[in-house]
Amino acid sequence: AEERIEGALEGLAVANAYGITSLIDASVGAEELATWRALAADGRLTARVVASIGMEGGPVATGDKSLLD
C-alpha cells in the first residue's frame, strides 16, 4: 500500500508541475480507490481525482457494492 501511495504522490507532483489540477483514473479497483482515499484523508491529495470503478471484475460483475460508498 505504501508503494502505491508513493507512486501516486510522484504522479501528482508531475501533474501539478504542469499545472494539472484534475485527473481521471479510468479503471480503479479496491486498491487504487483506497490509495486515493488515503491521500485525501491525509490532506496529501493535490488534485481533484475522478475515479471510475472498473467494470471487469468490479462491483457490477461481482455484486460487491463496497466500492460504491
Side-chain angles (χ1 to χ4, degrees):
E2 190 59 36
E3 186 174 300
R4 228 179 249 282
I5 288 175
E6 289 174 20
L9 288 171
E10 288 179 24
L12 286 167
V14 171
N16 295 155
Y18 285 96
I20 297 170
T21 59
S22 297
L23 311 168
I24 297 174
D25 195 344
S27 182
V28 302
E31 292 176 352
E32 293 87 3
L33 193 56
T35 299
W36 294 126
R37 286 179 172 170
L39 290 174
D42 292 347
R44 297 189 292 169
L45 190 59
T46 59
R48 181 175 40 150
V49 177
V50 176
S52 300
I53 298 170
M55 296 297 285
E56 187 173 318
V60 173
T62 63
D64 177 11
K65 304 245 190 274
S66 65
L67 297 179
L68 302 176
D69 63 8

